[in-house]
Amino acid sequence: MLTVILTLAIIAGVFGLLLAWSAIRFKVEGDPIVDQIDALLPQTQCGQCTYPGCRPYAEAIAKGEADINQCPPGGEATILALADLLGVEPKPLNAEHGEEKHLPTVVRIDENVCIGCTLCIQACPVDAIIGAAKQMHTVVESECTGCNLCIPPCPVDCIHIVEVKPTVRTWTAELPDPGPVAPHAV
Amino acid sequence: MTEYALILLGTVLVNNFVLVKFLGLCPFMGVSRKLETAIGMALATTFVLTLSSVSAYLVNEYILAPLGLEYMRTIMFILVIAVVVQFTEMVVHKTSPLLYNILGIFLPLITTNCAVLGVALLNVQEKHGFLQSLFYGFGAAVGFSLVLILFSALRERIIVADVPEAFQGTSIALITAGIMSLAFMGFAGLIKV
Amino acid sequence: MTDTASITKNGLWNNNVALVQLLGLCPLLAVTGTVVNGLGLGLATMMTLVLSNSAVSLIRPWLKNEIRIPIFVLIIASIVTTIELMMNAWFHDLYLILGIFIPLIVTNCSIIARAEAFASKNNLLDSALDGFMMGLGFTLVLVVLGGMRELIGFGTLFSHAHLMFGEIGHSMTITFSEDYPGFLLAVLPPGAFIGLGLLIALKNVIDKRKAAAQTVVLQKVEAVSS
Amino acid sequence: MSIHDDKPTILRELSHFDGGLVLDGHKDLSTGKPVQPMPAVKQYIVPLQQHIGAISEPLVKVGDRVLKGQMIGRPGDLVSAAVHSPVSGTVTAIEEHAVPHISGLPDLCIFIENDFKDEWVKREPLGDEYNNRSSHQLRNLIRDAGIVGLGGAAFPAAVKQTEMNVHTLILNGVECEPYITCDDMLMREQAEQVLAGADIIGHVIKAQECVIAIEDNKPEAIAAMQAAVERDGTGFFRVQAVPTIYPSGGEKQLIKILTGREVPKGRLPAELNVLVHNVATAHAIHRAVYHDEPLISRIATVTGQGIAQPQNIEVLVGTPVKDCVEFCGGYTPQADELIMGGPMMGFSLPSDDTPLVKASNCLLVMAKDEIHYQQQHMPCIRCGHCVEVCPARLLPQQLYWYASSKNNDRVQEFDLFDCIECGCCAYVCPSDIPLVQYYRAAKTVIRQQERERKASDLARQRHEAHQARLERQKREREERLRKKREMLKDKEKGGEKDSKKAAIAAAIARAQAKKAEARKAQAGATEDKTAETEQEQSQDNTEKPTNP
Amino acid sequence: MIFKRTPSPYIKQNISVQQMMFMVLYALVPGALASFYFFGWGVLFNLLVAITVCLASEAIILRLRGRDVRHSLSDGSALITACLLALALPSLAPWWLVAIASFFAIAVAKQLYGGLGFNPFNPAMVGYIVVMISFPLQMTLWTAPMGVDGGWPDFMTTFNWVFLGKLPYDTTIDSISMATPIDLLKTQLSQYHDVFETRNNPEFSALFGSLSGTGWQWVNLLYLAGGIWLVKKQVVDWRIPVAFLASLLFIANLFAVMDYSTNSSALFHAFSGGTMLAAFFIATDPITACSTPRGRWIYGAGIGALVYIIRSWGGYPDGIAFAVVLMNMAAPLIDYYTRPKVYGKQDH
Amino acid sequence: MKSLFLQYRKSILSTTALLSVFAIIGALMVGLTYISTADDIRRNEELQLLKQLNTIVPAELYNNDLLSDTITIKPNTLLGTSEDTLAYRARKDGKPVAAVFSSIAPNGYNGAIHILVGVFYDGRIAGVRVVKHHETPGLGDAVDASRSDWILGFNNKSLDNPKEKLWKVKRDGGVFDQFTGATITPRAVVKAVYNALLYFNENREKLFASNGKAAGEKTADTPPISKSESSEAGNSKPGKATLEQQSHD
Ligand SMILES: Cc1cc2nc3c(=O)[nH]c(=O)nc-3n(C[C@H](O)[C@H](O)[C@H](O)COP(=O)(O)O)c2cc1C
Ligand SMILES: Cc1cc2nc3c(=O)[nH]c(=O)nc-3n(C[C@H](O)[C@H](O)[C@H](O)COP(=O)(O)O)c2cc1C
Ligand SMILES: Cc1cc2nc3c(=O)[nH]c(=O)nc-3n(C[C@H](O)[C@H](O)[C@H](O)COP(=O)(O)O)c2cc1C
Ligand SMILES: Cc1cc2nc3c(=O)[nH]c(=O)nc-3n(C[C@H](O)[C@H](O)[C@H](O)CO)c2cc1C
Ligand code: SF4
Ligand code: SF4
Ligand code: SF4
Ligand code: SF4
Ligand code: FES
């Protein structure tokens, strides 16, 4: 009995020492996976995932607190990419967080109505609105992510969503009709 | 030499650890969705499996057997394996970020790969010596790697297939594994014992 | 998420170890040649799960990251070895049949997975319950798969029941047809894989039916309320 | 790859490329008559993008009068091309209109109403003088003339001619697609001008030789070019017949045939010291140099059994398709589909309202019994027929599997972007899968994702900058608040100015609260004690402005 | 005129999947007739049962999945599966064995994966293996070929046995069935009788023909002829049969030269069992084979080697089905690593 | 490195201690269980072996301690053995009743078939059991008693019942059944059993020769049956005799 206990205790002790030492010796800082996840998110910063922006959501996924299907702007493509990165089964977008937009949108400010209150400027996470207090504001469309966060604060409801229509330069072709026996997407 | 060749042949094909002996199935099912990850897992497992097969042999031969503690085998073996894995992970993480990127996430999973403990225990059961343990461990790992990699390439194809809804995902993957196992039965009798 | 009902439901169905998490597959496929084998290993696994979950839950305050896994496996291995010794002493025949798969309960991935995912974060009672339910879910699958394979493979059910239940076990065996030629596929390794695949497909079908029924109910509720 | 100055680039013996198909030519249909100049019509529609690269910027307004050959759109970027008015007349509109693009989407066009005066802008032809001009000057001339490659891709010619180390100019007169005969007719009728154009290009790129490659199913064109080469007598030119295998006219395939070497993946032909131009491009350059005439017209084949009188026409760029069809006798009753380009690589037009553009070499109207209609396709049976014919040595079936399952990583790994969309694979596929359509979808989606990724990188940077700014502002504000409080403590009595200060503090607090709201929960955790109290205090103040 | 919009190309080579499938069926005919001639009514019953069960299972599953039953059935692929399976199974196989094999082939190996084009494993061979490992006894029930003493039993005997499991009074199944030459040679070798001893044993000598086995050699020759026609018609890729036969013959010859008394000759391997059927009709199933040119070489050669290994040293008599499914299993990986170098990637 | 250790001494030591403590607890638990179950386990193992032997030689026919009355047989060509094996000897009131020993049929369909043959002192077969084989499930595996009763057909046969010529399967003109479609396996087993009888016949007296130690003495170690293990156990323990290598033609 004593041999058992002693042997095991000693061996365990040796292993414990080894591990404890190497835990300190081989300590690694930072968590590259968060960056990888963040790189896959659309950076709309809209908060629909219930996290205050894309990076917090990425951190939550890395910690295993959030599911991969909470980002409506990213939609199916982002879910697939995340599933691929994390080696889990892809799943459909969680409808609680919203629906995937099929055409990208930006917002436009009706410059005749805008009173220049700057509330929208403060709301925009990517500083895509320019203008100063008491002057009308404009959205730089190429920088607007379409997060719509600027819409609720506007006291005079002068911000409208506009769809970005595809042109011959941004067009994407549709997959053909797969016929009677349809291979499904992943 | 023939003896070792036969051990290899036996563990890789005839008594394939995964398809015939039913060991290491969780990682076999779990990390076979993508070819790259499967290859990573295969490499990591080969390393750990061979190493722990030998370590377990040494522990058994030089600590447990002399002290008459054979019944503590399971505990000792799994402890050895856990430590080998944990240590490898930490070292790789620190010293080779590149390798860690490839193998890192798989290393912790290996502790709970039945094949690793299975090999250690089977070595004892079959009374393998040092070299035999080495080859047995390595053969088991190669067998595991072989079917894991084949399976992942197959799964990449199946994922595109028009599988009936109820069978999509793990169900069809298991059935595929079943057919693989069916095919491996063709090797039965290759080694007459 | 930690109330009794949801733990039960998770363990038995929604997050079933074998059918959903696909863990613990090795024993699941290896020993389900007959119902009795499945039941035996299922019970042993269940016991281990309950004990290990409880133990891990108890030692939560002392866990340290770098030795978390070694401690888990130590605990699990101790429990399993104890159970192994007891089985060897009291259910020797069954012990012989289950063979290497008893010590391999140690590496049954589901046990360490529960320790990590649940027991190390929850209190004793919940952890024990979780262990029990997960184990029960696992056992159920073992028994069903064992039943399927035994029935198709040999045309019997509960053969060798005496290994577990003693002499009355002999009378428990049900033989469906004396001159059934047997369908070897079911008892050979391929049959195990295919059988589990079919079980999972069955679960998918049931889940889908349930979901469909639920939406119908929801629609009805909506229709009534509007 | 190094420059092999002494080695001949072009082999004396022809090589061959992998894959390819032997197709029915159907060329006789449109070679019966000489090229017919097409009379002017009332309205021209000139798309601002007829080339690869950035869209041109309009130089005219609605109502402006323009002259024939006047530049009405200037290159939008380095890689872009100018567009010119095909006739004299008035700009009646600048708006979106159907253009011949595979997407079927409209694009910005300039509408010009012909005044039938045929008034040219002032022209100063350079003529033989070009020999004394630098490459740079000539390239400017070519660019201002809006000349793009007429072999199909419409890549700005001047940009292509900046390539260094080119010894050999290959003139592509292969014209491998069935039905199309415009290059054939051009070579038969204007061999000298083609050579003259090639000579100019040779001068620009300082080439040492020029090989004119012509498929051996065009004996007349070969004879005509051969005669012209002999008349030229400088030894600079050589005519080379190549076997009739589709797609030997593809740039890379032609280079393989002629040089026996392959253009390294992702590199340009200049790597092998060659430059490929279509014969019509050379002809257009000749017109630009000798007549100071920008690219406002081209020869196009109007053919197919759906056309009453198939033939080649010389037509102004911007002419509506329906006018061309009408000129060629209109549709036959069997006409079933209107295709721009050849039967292998062309695309169908949703209407004949669209204009003909610089790249339009063929208008094909196919009849019901000559066209193959895509049925609902069967699954791929992995027969490998497509692999055998793919000139790019791709695995079309694999690309199809990955494209149809939207596996963008794998599809790129399998070199999707090396697919030249020649259609050989789809031609032989027994399952009748519209393979090229799958590839096109995958390619456009990947490009789209690339754009989105760029946009999201930009958004991330801007968001980080935004966060940093907020952070900084917060720190500054706290600093100020602290100072203020200290000041307040110092001057307990001097309460006069306090109201103003309080107002400022309140305003700051309000802004602070707004930001906190925008940043939701996260802010709460990071805010320190003072800020939190500030926030609570300011809650009441912020009520009002948000609910006016 | 109506402006249609369809994708390019607008012209097309005219051979469809259906045509390919039926050409395969035509090419099977001579060999199948010979098989019938040499092995009797059982072959016909096999065909009957296999075709019925294959088509029925396919139809039922397609119906269950709400697919176009007519369209899929008429492609002829299930028919090929049925015929190949029927021709590979022993001529005295009971009907339920053929039915089980057919059901597994179509329902599990083909339709569970989504039907034509998606199955990674050769359906017919999966069906064959399932019954091979489950009912090894019944899988040895070959009739004595025409030309061997006794020949094959008459219609009623065969019918009664196959469908009712009944035998005429005082006969056992052992007395109307007979091992195939491959199996015989193998079991004899395992009992330390060498090749000559076996071939010259008066008890067995009638079973062996000049090339391989009585009947078997003709059946194989006719499959070879049909196969060559298929290759000429470009329905099957020539690389696979060539690689398969080359590797089988090479290995067999190597061993035969090393020790001709315990290793049967290369010719014996080429013309016995299912060799030619496998080379031209089974290994060439495009769906389950490799699809890159280099991959096809490896795939064919792999099957050849595995056939030899399993035939010579394995536990089952003819290794074709196992070899084919094993290589099916490896096909995706082989395909992945034998991609041709795309234009411009080749080093010069 | 030393400084590293000093720096984190507390953490390292506590980790070590923690792991040790858990190891001790585990060891305690297992050790206690082991002590309390060891006897049961040993008894189980003996019972297991005895049960198997009793299927060949029924318990009521003898009254010695079968498990410890053993003799080691050296490798022998008739038995097909290449290592030492153990023979168990049943005696009633000290008189020899039967011996149970291992034999190997080398030429099964899938390799060697290990059998256990029990022979009464008078040369009749008490029973035969297959202990290890690789024959095809569903075909050759019918030699296994759990699959069919075929193996019971040897009971009471002896060297001259039937006559030597008839010690064959029916297909070869003997008296023993073969299985449909599988002749190899039964052929191999019949041959091996016959050879075992020959061996018994030649060595009967030596087999039953009692050895120095009292035959009924119990030993702590129970030699298992399978060949590889028996050799190891058989050599070292006292109370066992060894049968020298015989040569046969
Ligand atoms: C499949 C394919 C076929 C082609 N066939 C021809 C052809 O027959 N004649 C031709 O001039 N260009 C053809 N091209 C275009 C050439 O690749 C190349 O772009 C052109 O010759 C370059 O000349 P350019 O810049 O003057 O247009 C083809 C391209 C592809 C992808
Ligand atoms: C793929 C395959 C194809 C076969 N084709 C034929 C055939 O066309 N005609 C035939 O009589 N036997 C054929 N066979 C039968 C095998 O050669 C036979 O089953 C094998 O030799 C084993 O026979 P046994 O089990 O009866 O000993 C085929 C077998 C396989 C696996
Ligand atoms: C897959 C397979 C497994 C077989 N397994 C055995 C076996 O285990 N034992 C055996 O005696 N014969 C076995 N055979 C049968 C032999 O091939 C051989 O046909 C038979 O032993 C000859 O017996 P017969 O003389 O009764 O035909 C097997 C055959 C096959 C096809
Ligand atoms: C050349 C050729 C060979 C074929 N060989 C087989 C075969 O061996 N087994 C089979 O089940 N089907 C075969 N088929 C039919 C079909 O391809 C097969 O059933 C598919 O695997 C079903 O998806 C073949 C078809 C062709 C064209
Ligand atoms: S929903 Fe998506 S885009 Fe919006 S913040 Fe969350 S991760 Fe970013
Ligand atoms: S302008 Fe509005 S919609 Fe666009 S990014 Fe800013 S807050 Fe979002
Ligand atoms: S030609 Fe068609 S069916 Fe054949 S492999 Fe290519 S894509 Fe598949
Ligand atoms: S379209 Fe692309 S994939 Fe198809 S043959 Fe042409 S180059 Fe190859
Ligand atoms: S139970 Fe998970 S690997 Fe074996």
Side-chain angles (χ1 to χ4, degrees), chain E residues 28 31-32 35 38-39 43 83-91 124-125 128 132 136-142 178-184 215-216 219-220 223 272-278 282 311 316-322 324, chain F residues 109:
Chain E
L28 268 176
S35 202
F38 283 107
F39 297 100
V43 176
C83 293
L84 290 174
L85 190 54
L87 293 170
L89 288 173
S91 52
M125 290 303 101
Y128 184 92
M132 179 52 130
L137 168 58
Q138 286 78 7
M139 290 299 283
T140 60
L141 299 179
W142 282 92
M178 188 170 233
T180 58
I182 287 194
D183 191 14
L184 185 73
W216 292 96
V219 174
N220 270 290
Y223 285 137
S272 58
T275 309
M276 289 300 168
L277 189 68
I282 295 172
R311 271 187 184 175
Y316 292 94
D318 201 347
I320 281 161
F322 289 105
V324 168
Chain F
Y109 187 78

Side-chain angles (χ1 to χ4, degrees), chain E residues 153-170:
Chain E
D154 61 21
F155 181 84
M156 275 324 286
T157 314
T158 319
F159 183 89
N160 279 333
W161 165 251
V162 168
F163 289 99
L164 309 171
K166 285 195 204 129
L167 287 171
Y169 176 71
D170 86 346

